[in-house]
Amino acid sequence: MSSTEIDRQWTTRLRHRVAHRLPPEKMLPDTQPAYVASWIYVFGVTTLSAFAVVVLSGFILALKGPQWWHVSGIGHFVNSLHLWSVEIFFFAMVIHLWGKYFMAAWRGGRSLTWVTGVVTFLVSIATAFTGYVSQTNFDSQWISTQAKDGINSTGAGSFFNVLNFGQMLMWHIVLLPLAAVVLTGLHVLMVRAKGVVPPFEEKEEAR
Amino acid sequence: MAESLLAALVSLNGPGHYFHWHWIDISYANLTVIALMVVTFVAALFVPFPGRRHKKETK
């Protein structure tokens, strides 16, 4: 095979593209710019850490099932761990969103980073909602019956039936987490490729 | 002991408590979380980060 033919292979082209956009020193950096030394920059990684706990506790809940998380002491604990890690996840993600909004973090060719963050936020809300209706208790019955009219009024009820427990559970533990993990991965890779957005330049007269 | 202390702080027996103001209708639980997020956001902007050198020293 000639070198020209090798260069035309999609694997070669993809490898060159990835190596160009995400060299190892960008992918796994050992230093960050001085402006990152601020508390406002910790909420992205706080969100990621909480997300890891959400997924891990979700795995355990899926393994053991509803009877376990409703009646056993350790089941209650893991159920609470899942709930409170979600609370921290959203708490940190909203502060991350506010911080990035006021930094205009879409500057410098970072628009797709912003967009993937926004879409991940929306997917996370849907994931949390399907989780609330999958608890298998009176709370989930109340939430689903209250939500059905709102969702049906949008037309989405034709394919997204909040009273269909099996469907909601599958959305909650398969489709939406998969989307959240993929989108979060893309979001983090984009941050690595472009770097953390720098602060606004100080105006001359303000110095 | 800890359970009774928490129970004394907020009673969860009965319907939730809501804040009403014109068209705004929100539970005190959600309002508290939003207030905590705002406080944390403002603190994150102004609380010094450990190990960060003063601006004049970096020049």
Side-chain angles (χ1 to χ4, degrees):
Chain A
M1 195 183 281
S2 69
S3 62
T4 315
E5 282 176 324
I6 290 172
D7 288 343
R8 284 178 56 199
Q9 289 186 105
W10 71 268
T11 49
T12 312
R13 284 184 284 126
L14 183 63
R15 187 177 69 244
H16 288 166
R17 202 172 167 188
V18 170
H20 173 69
R21 292 197 65 177
L22 259 180
E25 62 273 17
K26 272 191 172 184
M27 180 73 179
L28 295 167
D30 40 27
T31 56
Q32 286 292 327
Y35 56 78
V36 175
S38 162
W39 285 112
I40 198 65
Y41 287 96
V42 306
F43 291 95
V45 81
T46 309
T47 311
L48 278 178
S49 307
F51 187 45
V53 180
V54 171
V55 172
L56 284 173
S57 54
F59 275 147
I60 301 170
L61 292 174
L63 277 171
K64 301 293 285 184
Q67 279 74 27
W68 177 77
W69 79 59
H70 281 312
V71 298
S72 74
I74 189 91
H76 282 147
F77 174 75
V78 177
N79 194 25
S80 297
L81 198 65
H82 195 61
L83 169 75
W84 286 105
S85 52
V86 169
E87 297 284 345
I88 295 170
F89 172 76
F90 276 102
F91 191 98
M93 185 159 53
V94 168
I95 297 172
H96 178 63
L97 167 67
W98 289 345
K100 296 303 156 188
Y101 175 78
F102 286 110
M103 285 176 206
W106 48 83
R107 288 175 291 139
R110 294 176 177 83
S111 54
L112 263 181
T113 314
W114 172 260
V115 168
T116 51
V118 170
V119 177
T120 310
F121 183 48
L122 297 175
V123 166
S124 303
I125 292 170
T127 314
F129 170 72
T130 51
Y132 280 117
V133 300
S134 303
Q135 296 174 91
T136 62
N137 57 14
F138 287 128
D139 190 33
S140 57
Q141 286 184 26
W142 171 262
I143 294 167
S144 55
T145 47
Q146 293 299 302
K148 72 175 170 46
D149 294 334
I151 288 174
N152 288 347
S153 70
T154 68
S158 60
F159 60 89
F160 188 83
N161 180 4
V162 293
L163 297 180
N164 183 342
F165 170 74
Q167 187 191 24
M168 289 302 104
L169 186 66
M170 289 299 115
W171 276 85
H172 182 65
I173 68 172
V174 180
L175 300 175
L176 290 168
L178 191 64
V181 167
V182 170
L183 284 164
T184 305
L186 283 173
H187 187 70
V188 172
L189 286 177
M190 285 175 193
V191 174
R192 289 290 95 245
K194 291 281 181 182
V196 179
V197 68
F200 288 105
E201 296 272 335
E202 283 184 68
K203 287 182 182 169
E204 286 298 320
E205 60 271 22
R207 284 183 182 171
Chain B
M1 176 69 180
E3 278 181 13
S4 60
L5 279 175
L6 280 175
L9 191 65
V10 181
S11 171
L12 297 174
N13 286 325
H17 303 284
Y18 280 77
F19 172 78
H20 296 280
W21 188 70
H22 296 282
W23 51 270
I24 295 172
D25 185 20
I26 186 169
S27 71
Y28 278 106
N30 282 340
L31 197 59
T32 305
V33 171
I34 293 168
L36 282 173
M37 285 195 297
V38 172
V39 168
T40 310
F41 177 69
V42 173
L45 294 179
F46 294 107
V47 173
F49 195 77
R52 181 167 190 169
R53 285 179 295 175
H54 195 269
K55 203 173 181 181
K56 281 179 183 170
E57 291 173 30
T58 58
K59 279 183 179 173

